[in-house]
Amino acid sequence: MQPGSPERQQAAQWEAEAAAAEVAAAEAEAAMKQVRVDTGAAGEPEHKIGEEQPKVAAPVQSRAAEEGDARDSTRQLPTLKPAPARGNCAHGKPRSKGRCCKRTSGRRCEELRARRPVTVDSSKARTSLDALKISIRQLKWKEFPFGRRLPCDIYWHGVSFHDNDIFSGQVNKFPGMTEMVRKITLSRAVRVMQDLFPEEYNFYPRSWILPEEFQLFVAQVRMVKDGDPTWKPTFIVKPDSGCQGDGIYLIKDPSDIRLAGTLQSRPAVVQEYICKPLLIDKLKFDIRLYVLLKSLDPLEIYIAKDGLSRFCTEPYQEPSPKNLHHIFMHLTNYSLNIHSGNFIHSDSVNTGSKRTFSSILGRLSSKGVDIKKIWSDIISLVIKTVIALTPELKVFYQSDIPAGRPGPTCFQILGFDILLMKNLKPILLEVNANPSMRIEHEQELSPGVFENVPSLVDEEVKVAVIRDTLRLMDPLKKKRENQSRQLEKPLAGKEDPVESEIAVPPDSSTSSEAHLPSICLKQVFPKYAKQFNYLRLVDRMANLFIRFLGIKGTMKLGPTGFRTFIRNCRLSSSSLSMAAVDILYIDITRRWNSMTLDQRDSGMCLQAFIEAFFYLAQKKFKMLPLHEQVASLIDLCEYHLSLLDEKRLVCGRRGTSGGRPPYTPQDAAPFAQPAEGIPQPHAISASKPSYYRRPLS
């Protein structure tokens, strides 16, 4: 858009009018309230301060009833305090230029802020714009489609956190999320969790990263085939940066991988192909579920109660050399199947090539399938996947929004692609950082001529997800609720009755959601936190990693930071000298830097730190399973760091008090072993109860 274009001029005019309207509304509201206070009841003569007021002889309608309050309109009005003289505010203090004193205007400003509509910057929304506009209109919020000079409450980005430079408000993207859900990064994050908890993370197919693990892939496949000659696997190759089915193909043998020049420039992930999926109408399908990551720390996750089911357009057959290239049979991607002549556009949620997930569950329920069990397994899959992603997301977050610096808060809608196997076990296919929120599809009117046609199935699911995400993220909701609670309290004895009379009544915005359906997003974490917190070992490792990064904004740990970590956690010993620590750092860091394409920063990344941490845990606690080794080492590190923090706090208090407190025995050896009665780190781990699980409802 050109600077002098009519669209830009129109946008500037709209913005100016909106700002002027907000100011005018605030001034008009303040003036009306002052008139009511100055004149008393409408039509009554003005009375001076100290002059006796006429008594009210009969019940009259209260101001609350006049302004739409639901309180009793027939109650007796309290005797009013004498109105202030003209030119004075409600507290008897002189006004200047029609404004009230600071005591009154400050309170009114807070009330008016809570009553104003939430502002949303949609200038970067891209393909989700139509669904976003509908959602904002349903919520009666204020949209700024061309941006705004003043800050907005919410910024809606179409691609990434960096679509715009934002220093306040809320933005619908987390920094680093796009990188974290790429095929390779997701596979590495889940693989770490599979090493720790293999049974808990068996919902993700076995994966190999190409080209670096090609030889490992060949060796492992050959070994399994030698042990079981009847095993005839199929593998699916997915480019790391691919989307919408681009570049995906199936193979039967590692020798079929297209190595010539493509893997070096375009790395990929190869996975075991799920050969026995659940079929509906003889067609393979997958599920797109929408997950809201509302907060990273503390972790807060919501799942949409409905999603989309995307169908293949060719009847399914198990993979064979003859049908490996039939993409309409094996790949469920909507962007591929829409080009099939068998694709069916339907306005019904129960038919067509795209349906609602709830319609699939209804059909399965009619056949006696336990729907609650399916939902329970899906919720577990989602929570475990997010737990695998959050450690590195925290590193990205502190890099882009360092603690103590101004910045927005973040939330994000993720698209989980899930496949149901024939035995109804859910399998995670991939996670999308930018799931499509389009609510229309292209329809070919004539050869080469297309038209966008509304899709009722998409609109039903996606508008609800965006609208209810906005409702959960509403930044003014707490202010309105607090204001309502304050106004509902009975008048206190010490409260100024004049100030109580001029208080702004609850705005209709407090009940503006009455016309909306119930929220379609269900909280699953921290609701089920007790069942899954034991899995968050890598999250605790990430906290240690961030603590020793040193420089704000960096994402890699330098050699000095790693040595400080070893020293402060008291991990060095006769069997692990500081020289051995330096060699460990160099070896692991060099190998991981050779595997990553991003060479902007030198140092140890989080994945390299995790590998080093595993090595240290296995060296220190040799007789335990890996997850107990890691948990014991984390407990040990956290214990020694807590002692160090306590010592620094005591020293800080001594420095500020100006005197030296009396000597105590505890000061003699702050890094000594825990006193009797304090459990040792390995004892803490061993004393934990067995993993407690209950069905998710």
Side-chain angles (χ1 to χ4, degrees):
M1 189 184 302
Q2 297 298 326
S5 64
E7 292 85 353
R8 178 59 66 184
Q9 295 174 0
Q10 183 66 42
Q13 181 181 351
W14 286 346
E15 184 175 340
E17 290 176 355
E22 290 182 11
V23 174
E27 292 180 350
E29 183 71 20
M32 288 299 295
K33 287 180 176 60
Q34 193 57 48
V35 168
R36 293 190 184 110
V37 174
D38 288 345
T39 61
E44 292 295 325
E46 184 181 349
H47 296 272
K48 296 181 180 179
I49 295 178
E51 190 174 323
E52 185 177 355
Q53 290 273 35
K55 295 183 179 180
V56 180
V60 294
Q61 191 178 23
S62 67
R63 263 184 60 230
E66 291 174 6
E67 297 185 11
D69 201 317
R71 290 174 289 190
D72 186 8
S73 61
T74 61
R75 66 178 176 85
Q76 188 80 15
L77 274 176
T79 303
L80 295 176
K81 185 176 181 178
R86 189 176 300 278
N88 289 353
C89 75
H91 300 97
K93 298 181 180 180
R95 289 193 298 261
S96 61
K97 297 184 180 180
R99 298 175 181 264
C100 291
C101 68
K102 291 182 179 179
R103 179 180 173 188
T104 305
S105 60
R107 179 166 177 171
R108 283 180 178 169
C109 288
E110 290 298 323
E111 291 162 346
L112 289 170
R113 285 193 198 103
R115 295 176 57 184
R116 68 172 176 81
V118 178
T119 55
V120 181
D121 183 336
S122 62
S123 60
K124 303 290 183 180
R126 301 199 183 188
T127 57
S128 61
L129 182 59
D130 292 337
L132 179 63
K133 283 181 176 292
I134 295 174
S135 301
I136 294 173
R137 189 162 57 246
Q138 291 179 355
L139 294 171
K140 300 178 182 178
W141 289 3
K142 181 69 176 177
E143 179 193 4
F144 288 88
F146 302 106
R148 189 190 191 196
R149 287 193 297 268
L150 298 174
C152 282
D153 296 311
I154 294 176
Y155 295 84
W156 196 273
H157 290 180
V159 178
S160 76
F161 173 82
H162 297 286
D163 283 359
N164 222 337
D165 293 329
I166 303 171
F167 303 99
S168 64
Q170 300 176 345
V171 61
N172 71 316
K173 300 293 180 186
F174 277 95
M177 183 65 81
T178 302
E179 292 81 358
M180 275 308 304
V181 299
R182 283 188 165 188
K183 313 290 191 305
I184 289 178
T185 320
L186 175 64
S187 296
R188 282 178 176 153
V190 175
R191 182 184 296 177
V192 169
M193 301 304 297
Q194 288 175 332
D195 290 341
L196 291 169
F197 306 100
E199 294 298 322
E200 301 290 345
Y201 280 83
N202 61 5
F203 57 80
Y204 191 69
R206 186 160 45 173
S207 307
W208 296 266
I209 296 168
L210 304 178
E212 64 194 62
E213 294 179 352
F214 177 72
Q215 295 302 327
L216 176 65
F217 171 52
V218 173
Q220 289 185 345
V221 171
R222 183 183 295 118
M223 182 177 63
V224 176
K225 282 186 175 181
D226 291 344
D228 183 8
T230 62
W231 185 55
K232 297 180 179 180
T234 302
F235 303 96
I236 183 168
V237 182
K238 303 177 181 178
D240 178 48
S241 58
C243 62
Q244 298 181 342
D246 176 44
I248 298 178
Y249 60 96
L250 272 61
I251 60 172
K252 296 292 288 185
D253 189 83
S255 60
D256 298 331
I257 290 180
R258 303 166 191 170
L259 291 173
T262 59
L263 288 179
Q264 295 299 332
S265 59
R266 197 181 189 190
V269 168
V270 59
Q271 295 178 323
E272 288 186 87
Y273 181 75
I274 306 301
C275 296
K276 296 185 181 297
L278 178 68
L279 304 180
I280 297 286
D281 299 329
K282 299 182 180 180
L283 298 173
K284 180 181 176 181
F285 69 97
D286 74 352
I287 305 158
R288 165 63 61 82
L289 279 183
Y290 298 97
V291 175
L292 170 63
L293 183 56
K294 186 173 183 283
S295 171
L296 196 57
D297 192 10
L299 184 60
E300 198 167 348
I301 309 170
Y302 290 77
I303 297 181
K305 297 177 182 178
D306 203 358
L308 296 172
S309 298
R310 293 93 53 90
F311 281 75
C312 288
T313 49
E314 187 176 330
Y316 180 78
Q317 298 175 4
E318 288 197 22
S320 67
K322 293 182 179 179
N323 65 30
L324 281 182
H325 304 294
H326 292 202
I327 59 173
F328 298 143
M329 175 188 296
H330 296 292
L331 303 184
T332 56
N333 303 75
Y334 167 80
S335 54
L336 294 177
N337 282 279
I338 194 174
H339 299 293
S340 168
N342 297 327
F343 192 92
I344 301 174
H345 291 290
S346 175
D347 290 337
S348 171
V349 298
N350 302 304
T351 60
S353 297
K354 184 187 287 188
R355 315 176 195 178
T356 60
F357 181 44
S358 57
S359 70
I360 301 299
L361 291 178
R363 186 162 175 175
L364 294 176
S365 178
S366 65
K367 296 181 179 180
V369 173
D370 186 354
I371 302 304
K372 289 185 178 180
K373 177 67 167 57
I374 293 178
W375 262 120
S376 174
D377 292 342
I378 289 176
I379 290 172
S380 177
L381 178 152
V382 167
I383 294 175
K384 292 173 182 176
T385 303
V386 174
I387 286 175
L389 294 174
T390 51
E392 201 147 358
L393 278 176
K394 285 185 175 182
V395 178
F396 277 103
Y397 193 90
Q398 65 81 34
S399 174
D400 281 274
I401 313 175
R405 296 184 186 177
T409 56
C410 302
F411 64 97
Q412 188 155 352
I413 298 172
L414 303 173
F416 275 65
D417 291 346
I418 297 171
L419 181 75
L420 286 179
M421 294 179 63
K422 191 174 183 179
N423 62 1
L424 300 179
K425 177 183 177 179
I427 298 294
L428 176 66
L429 300 180
E430 61 182 56
V431 181
N432 295 271
N434 300 305
S436 172
M437 287 295 177
R438 292 186 61 177
I439 54 175
E440 73 279 339
H441 61 82
E442 288 185 346
Q443 186 173 18
E444 190 171 12
L445 301 179
S446 58
V449 180
F450 294 88
E451 180 185 28
N452 285 334
V453 178
S455 170
L456 299 183
V457 177
D458 285 292
E459 183 173 337
E460 178 179 327
V461 174
K462 295 175 181 178
V463 170
V465 169
I466 292 180
R467 180 195 64 224
D468 292 346
T469 294
L470 293 174
R471 290 167 72 182
L472 287 172
M473 301 307 303
D474 182 356
L476 304 182
K477 187 174 183 179
K478 287 185 179 179
K479 292 182 180 179
R480 289 194 294 265
E481 291 174 349
N482 292 338
Q483 179 186 339
S484 298
R485 281 195 293 267
Q486 290 174 1
L487 292 172
E488 288 172 0
K489 291 179 181 178
L491 295 178
K494 296 182 180 180
E495 189 175 359
D496 189 341
V498 172
E499 190 170 344
S500 299
E501 284 298 322
I502 66 172
V504 180
D507 186 68
S508 59
S509 61
T510 57
S511 58
S512 61
E513 296 188 1
H515 67 287
L516 298 173
S518 60
I519 289 184
C520 73
L521 295 165
K522 173 185 178 180
Q523 188 193 78
V524 296
F525 200 95
K527 182 176 181 179
Y528 301 123
K530 289 183 178 180
Q531 296 168 247
F532 296 96
N533 273 339
Y534 73 93
L535 298 172
R536 302 187 70 182
L537 296 181
V538 183
D539 206 63
R540 294 165 67 189
M541 277 187 265
N543 292 336
L544 296 173
F545 177 79
I546 292 171
R547 172 175 177 139
F548 291 97
L549 282 177
I551 303 173
K552 288 185 177 181
T554 186
M555 293 182 60
K556 292 189 176 181
L557 187 66
T560 303
F562 189 69
R563 288 173 64 93
T564 305
F565 157 70
I566 297 292
R567 202 162 39 240
N568 288 1
C569 295
R570 301 178 65 81
L571 300 182
S572 60
S573 62
S574 57
S575 61
L576 183 69
S577 65
M578 293 307 294
V581 168
D582 291 338
I583 294 173
L584 176 67
Y585 174 88
I586 293 171
D587 287 346
I588 294 180
T589 300
R590 183 180 297 163
R591 180 156 39 81
W592 274 93
N593 286 343
S594 67
M595 291 190 297
T596 57
L597 299 176
D598 185 7
Q599 300 293 340
R600 290 175 297 178
D601 300 325
S602 61
M604 176 179 276
C605 64
L606 177 62
Q607 290 290 328
F609 178 80
I610 292 171
E611 181 180 332
F613 200 94
F614 280 15
Y615 171 81
L616 295 171
Q618 290 169 320
K619 191 175 182 66
K620 197 167 189 68
F621 304 99
K622 297 179 180 179
M623 304 304 295
L624 298 174
L626 179 60
H627 70 274
E628 291 187 21
Q629 291 173 336
V630 171
S632 298
L633 186 58
I634 293 173
D635 290 338
L636 180 66
C637 293
E638 291 176 346
Y639 171 76
H640 285 299
L641 292 175
S642 66
L643 289 181
L644 181 62
D645 291 341
E646 186 177 348
K647 180 186 178 184
R648 288 172 177 169
L649 182 62
V650 171
C651 292
R653 287 174 178 171
R654 288 176 180 174
T656 56
S657 63
R660 184 180 182 87
Y663 171 85
T664 58
Q666 288 80 1
D667 296 333
F671 291 107
Q673 290 300 316
E676 185 178 354
I678 299 178
Q680 295 285 344
H682 61 275
I684 294 173
S685 178
S687 63
K688 289 181 180 178
S690 59
Y691 304 144
Y692 170 72
R693 303 180 187 84
R694 59 184 175 84
L696 307 179
S697 57

